Amino acid sequence: MNLIKLRHIIKEISEQEADRLLSKIKNKEFEFFNRGDNGKVYSINGEDLLMKITNEPDEVAVANVIVGQMERYNAFIPVIYTDNKKMYIMKKADKLSKNTLNKITLFYEGYKDYARQQGIETSIFDYLNNDGARDLDSKLANFLRALEQQVKDMGIGDLELSLDFKPDNIMDWNGNIVMVDW
């Protein structure tokens, strides 16, 4: 991996903090954490951060938009760095409570049924705005409405349709439901 240039680190972290983080990456102080359909995730040793290497252009495009904007894009895990190509660094999230995971899984299963019935390409937001919001608790409904608005605000092609919304890609960060993979 090429040395990450300091100018790519956002102002959210200090220069000293950036130097320390860059040193860890340069010295390969990270380990394999998980693998997805389009890339690999590494845990940076001693940090509450994950580094993702991806082959999916939309994934990088989203990271490039949300980097350093955790207040504006709070339906997504905070991204603190991106190299604008294939790699970004994000905060580490926790598993959802069983109750919340069950609610998201139920919503997701309803969406899959809805999509099959529609017979055309449809998004989770189409489902949310037609049948899906009927039985949602307020926390999940608020997350989904925020996610919908934030995806629209990004203006990234057909992200609404290509968003990798599924229970495995949703976690808890500081008590908030967030997408960790998109």
Side-chain angles (χ1 to χ4, degrees):
M1 177 181 303
N2 294 335
L3 177 61
I4 299 169
K5 295 179 179 159
L6 183 60
R7 65 183 158 84
H8 290 289
I9 299 290
I10 63 169
K11 59 188 171 194
E12 185 175 296
I13 57 179
S14 70
E15 189 171 330
Q16 182 180 15
E17 184 76 7
D19 285 340
R20 188 181 65 73
L21 185 58
L22 290 171
S23 177
K24 283 188 168 196
I25 293 170
K26 180 182 176 186
N27 293 321
K28 298 187 187 313
E29 294 181 37
F30 52 85
E31 56 190 48
F32 179 78
F33 184 77
N34 206 345
R35 170 187 298 268
D37 294 336
N38 299 309
K40 296 179 184 177
V41 179
Y42 300 89
S43 179
I44 301 172
N45 297 355
E47 304 292 331
D48 193 26
L49 301 170
L50 298 173
M51 173 178 55
K52 179 153 189 187
I53 310 295
T54 182
N55 294 316
E56 178 57 46
D58 279 353
E59 206 170 323
V60 173
V62 169
N64 289 339
V65 170
I66 70 174
V67 64
Q69 297 191 62
M70 73 174 88
E71 295 299 321
R72 182 173 180 195
Y73 294 105
N74 61 358
F76 293 85
I77 190 72
V79 172
I80 66 162
Y81 169 87
T82 176
D83 71 356
N84 296 314
K85 295 175 186 163
K86 293 183 129 192
M87 190 274 286
Y88 57 93
I89 297 174
M90 62 187 155
K91 298 284 188 171
K92 198 181 276 186
D94 297 313
K95 290 182 178 180
L96 293 168
S97 70
K98 286 186 182 200
N99 186 37
T100 301
L101 180 60
N102 288 340
K103 290 175 185 177
I104 289 171
T105 301
L106 189 61
F107 175 82
Y108 180 66
E109 293 300 321
Y111 159 67
K112 289 191 321 186
D113 288 342
Y114 175 81
R116 280 190 288 273
Q117 291 170 3
Q118 294 301 307
I120 57 171
E121 209 168 24
T122 187
S123 76
I124 62 158
F125 309 122
D126 295 329
Y127 173 60
L128 176 67
N129 294 319
N130 286 302
D131 297 333
R134 191 177 26 222
D135 297 323
L136 294 179
D137 73 4
S138 61
K139 186 174 182 177
L140 182 53
N142 290 339
F143 161 70
L144 290 165
R145 297 277 181 223
L147 181 64
E148 179 180 26
Q149 187 59 52
Q150 292 167 29
V151 165
K152 286 179 184 176
D153 290 350
M154 286 180 199
I156 298 174
D158 66 350
L159 181 60
E160 183 176 300
L161 294 171
S162 65
L163 188 68
D164 195 10
F165 184 91
K166 60 185 178 183
D168 291 349
N169 292 341
I170 302 166
M171 297 185 80
D172 178 283
W173 185 73
N174 287 348
N176 298 306
I177 301 170
V178 295
M179 295 236 12
V180 297
D181 191 8
W182 40 86

